[in-house]
Amino acid sequence: MLEPKLVNVNGTDATTNGEVHDVKPEGPESTSLSIDSALSLRLEKDALIVVDESSNKRDQSSLWNRLASRPSHDTKLTIPLSHVLWASLSSSSNLTIAYAAPAGTDIVRATTIRYTVGAAQLHSASTFATRLLSAAYGPSQPHKRIKAIVNPVGGRSRAGKWWSKSILPIFAAARCAVDMEVTRHQGHGIEIVEELDVDRYDVVACCSGDGVPHEVFNGLGRRKDAVRALRKIAVVQLPCGSGNAMAWNLCGTGSPSLAALRVVKGLRTPLDLVSVTHGGRGGGGGGGGGGAEGGDRRRTLSFLSQALGTVAETDLGTENLRWMGDARFTYGMLVKILLGKAVYPCDVAVKLEMGDKAEIRARYQQERRRNHPPTTSSNVDGEDGGDMTTFQASPPNNGSGSDADGQVSEGGLPPLRYGYATDALPEGWSLVPYDNLGSLYVGNMAYVREDGNIFPAALPSDGCIDLICIDGDLSRSSSLQIMMAVANNRIFDDHRVTYRKVSAYRIVPKGQADGSISVDGERIPFGPFQAEVHRGLGTVLSMSGRVYEAPGVGEMMS
């Protein structure tokens, strides 16, 4: 069988791309370029300034002359460096600059400007292009090698159109190497990445809702080299589904084109992953590669959230309303509140890390203020496999096969430290009855949907998950007030909401034969379940490299 060839989106072989630039700064003289008396380019701190007093004589994108926001006599174009996708000087002396130009609210389009450079300016133009790329990408990896997985039914079957019209042109302009595959059935994402040659790619981009990223993390977790694969491959979401929480957290947008731009410029960021275990008949706490273990034991990786009670019932009970987008959750919650009080009795045990809201707030603000830009390396297990990033807030993603606490696995995922929910209770834990529980919601990311910043103290790799408990016997007015607190980014400070940071927990439902448990929006069998954090086990791309794109507990709306 012939192996698929990884190619650049312009059709050239990715392994022989001729436009690789040395991104080292070339000195002050490289920050400006004068092509002739009418045309100059200047590199400023955050933008590229192009002054062209004879733009009608240049070979440029038609957008140059059609920008609605600039008067016809305006000769200056300002391009944010964050929007510069590529710059190169061709053998035919053409200086080409590709960038993402605004084309509406939260929409960008790949656009190109091109100038012919005289012989006397060739060296200066080449130096300028190199400096421009250095400033535009900074510590981010250019020329990303992307495996794209497109869910054709995502976003009411519009994902394919968004991929071809909004996403692919951005990757093309940025000279990314792309291999795209369309999913054929539920769970296909797992199958794709289980067999993926991780040394051929830097990124797996999910053009979907949050379901395909969930599949990808679990597919990587089933591999014999799970730890290395999870740390080698950055998993990202290009928002093309009804739920796009991952994109809102990491890219700060629900726009496919804008998310594509931010993936191109994204910084490798370690991400905590959570092993959720359920079933089993006792007898140890060993790990494995995901899926079925030891009879009916199961282990699922979670990147986003887990829920029990009203939240889970609302999430899973409105699957038939996905056409409503995020509004289905609001609708479902209102219906639950109007139906009256609902309690879900259970016993709860946690491995508590922080339980005081003031301490949680202070720790979050400290991390938010921390100025530690990422450093990159292209070595994973001694092999050239893409840039790796280390942050002060998290352990290095070294691909060594060891968990953050030093536990080493023979293969597959790190071993479980606390076993399963049916094992003996770990030392130091105690089950506390919670007979009036209404909602238990546990988050690894801040946003669970576009308008749901439920976990404002969440950090990508602090070794904790944020656990919220809300009583089920509150009045309707109190429940509505909590809903409004979410909408106003004030849920953290609501006195009716218990907010804790934990590294593991166990839940044992009581008095219910059946019910709903949600993991990343997916249903798991009802019964006792347990979760534990693996610090920095996964890898994503984010804008900052250290925090989510959500208002934090120090930045609440007034």
Side-chain angles (χ1 to χ4, degrees):
M1 180 182 295
L2 290 176
E3 182 179 6
K5 185 177 183 182
L6 184 65
V7 298
N8 292 314
V9 288
N10 61 6
T12 61
D13 190 331
T15 61
T16 58
N17 193 297
E19 292 186 349
V20 177
H21 290 258
D22 179 5
V23 295
K24 295 179 181 178
E26 298 290 338
E29 69 279 0
S30 63
T31 61
S32 62
L33 174 67
S34 295
I35 294 180
D36 56 36
S37 59
L39 173 64
S40 65
L41 295 84
R42 185 172 72 256
L43 186 58
E44 296 189 348
K45 180 181 179 181
D46 298 314
L48 169 67
I49 308 297
V50 181
V51 178
D52 188 352
E53 297 178 351
S54 56
S55 60
N56 61 324
K57 298 179 182 179
R58 306 293 172 189
D59 176 19
Q60 306 165 48
S61 164
S62 60
L63 184 63
W64 175 277
N65 296 314
R66 293 192 291 105
L67 284 175
S69 60
R70 50 179 255 140
S72 58
H73 62 273
D74 192 356
T75 61
K76 185 172 80 170
L77 176 66
T78 300
I79 305 172
L81 291 180
S82 60
H83 285 220
V84 173
L85 298 169
W86 202 250
S88 61
L89 184 66
S90 70
S91 56
S92 56
S93 303
N94 285 323
L95 174 64
T96 300
I97 298 171
Y99 67 101
T105 303
D106 293 330
I107 299 174
V108 293
R109 293 284 183 263
T111 306
T112 300
I113 52 177
R114 185 176 297 110
Y115 303 102
T116 300
V117 178
Q121 285 81 33
L122 287 177
H123 175 74
S124 296
S126 177
T127 300
F128 183 84
T130 298
R131 182 60 181 261
L132 175 58
L133 275 182
S134 174
Y137 277 85
S140 178
Q141 175 196 1
H143 263 318
K144 290 180 174 71
R145 302 171 299 169
I146 300 173
K147 174 70 175 184
I149 301 177
V150 179
N151 176 9
V153 300
R156 285 177 276 177
S157 300
R158 290 178 292 181
K161 178 180 178 180
W162 286 331
W163 162 255
S164 60
K165 299 293 186 182
S166 302
I167 298 167
L168 184 59
I170 298 293
F171 288 165
R175 306 300 194 267
C176 293
V178 178
D179 175 21
M180 187 272 283
E181 190 164 351
V182 176
T183 59
R184 298 189 298 271
H185 53 80
Q186 187 174 10
H188 193 198
I190 294 175
E191 300 168 10
I192 291 171
V193 298
E194 273 190 284
E195 304 300 326
L196 191 71
D197 182 352
V198 297
D199 289 316
R200 291 173 61 83
Y201 302 95
D202 307 301
V203 177
V204 170
C206 307
C207 302
S208 65
D210 294 311
V212 175
H214 175 81
E215 291 184 3
V216 168
F217 280 120
N218 279 278
L220 294 174
R222 289 185 180 186
R223 297 167 59 106
K224 292 181 179 180
D225 63 344
V227 171
R228 181 175 184 272
L230 284 162
R231 291 178 172 170
K232 168 68 179 62
I233 294 294
V235 181
V236 302
Q237 181 192 47
L238 297 162
C240 296
S242 59
N244 302 303
M246 189 180 193
W248 281 103
N249 281 289
L250 300 173
C251 299
T253 183
S255 160
S257 62
L258 198 53
L261 169 62
R262 291 173 179 173
V263 165
V264 165
K265 295 300 186 73
L267 302 174
R268 290 181 63 91
T269 306
L271 179 72
D272 294 342
L273 294 178
V274 182
S275 279
V276 180
T277 58
H278 50 96
R281 294 180 293 273
E293 297 179 356
D296 57 356
R297 290 175 181 259
R298 296 194 65 85
R299 179 178 183 179
T300 301
L301 287 180
S302 171
F303 76 95
L304 180 60
S305 65
Q306 306 98 53
L308 171 73
T310 298
V311 171
E313 298 281 354
T314 300
D315 187 11
L316 299 174
T318 57
E319 286 287 323
N320 61 320
L321 301 176
R322 283 188 173 272
W323 57 270
M324 295 179 65
D326 284 339
R328 74 181 175 95
F329 191 90
T330 302
Y331 168 80
M333 189 62 73
L334 285 171
V335 170
K336 282 284 184 182
I337 292 173
L338 292 174
L339 287 175
K341 302 173 184 178
V343 296
Y344 304 84
C346 62
D347 291 336
V348 180
V350 302
K351 181 73 168 61
L352 183 65
E353 302 299 334
M354 278 183 278
D356 179 72
K357 286 187 177 181
E359 182 185 5
I360 293 171
R361 182 192 300 274
R363 290 286 185 92
Y364 177 88
Q365 291 176 345
Q366 180 184 24
E367 180 60 28
R368 190 88 185 189
R369 291 191 299 267
R370 192 191 302 273
N371 183 20
H372 49 78
T375 58
T376 60
S377 167
S378 60
N379 192 281
V380 185
D381 281 350
E383 301 175 12
D384 185 9
D387 66 320
M388 301 299 290
T389 309
T390 302
F391 302 89
Q392 294 179 12
S394 58
N397 281 6
N398 56 20
S400 65
S402 61
D403 197 5
D405 61 1
Q407 291 182 302
V408 179
S409 58
E410 296 297 328
L413 292 172
L416 295 171
R417 287 165 290 183
Y418 304 113
Y420 287 76
T422 51
D423 291 338
L425 200 65
E427 184 177 356
W429 293 31
S430 60
L431 281 174
V432 177
Y434 200 154
D435 293 335
N436 65 331
L437 176 71
S439 288
L440 180 137
Y441 211 177
V442 189
N444 193 43
M445 292 185 169
Y447 286 114
V448 295
R449 58 185 185 277
E450 177 184 354
D451 60 349
N453 182 16
I454 305 293
F455 304 101
L459 291 165
S461 54
D462 62 351
C464 295
I465 41 181
D466 293 21
L467 187 149
I468 285 176
C469 290
I470 302 173
D471 293 346
D473 53 5
L474 297 175
S475 66
R476 287 188 177 90
S477 62
S478 290
S479 297
L480 288 170
Q481 287 168 15
I482 292 174
M483 279 193 67
M484 292 304 299
V486 173
N488 294 324
N489 286 324
R490 290 173 175 163
I491 187 171
F492 181 85
D493 291 313
D494 194 293
H495 68 278
R496 292 158 294 204
V497 175
T498 301
Y499 197 112
R500 292 174 282 182
K501 279 189 170 287
V502 305
S503 56
Y505 68 90
R506 176 180 293 186
I507 305 297
V508 181
K510 299 188 301 184
Q512 286 182 268
D514 196 12
S516 296
I517 300 172
S518 171
V519 175
D520 295 350
E522 306 294 327
R523 184 185 297 273
I524 66 170
F526 187 74
F529 67 100
Q530 185 163 295
E532 64 177 72
V533 178
H534 305 287
R535 188 178 183 186
L537 176 60
T539 306
V540 293
L541 298 179
S542 71
M543 294 174 64
S544 70
R546 64 184 187 277
V547 296
Y548 293 124
E549 298 301 312
V553 290
E555 303 153 336
M556 295 292 112
M557 296 170 62
S558 59

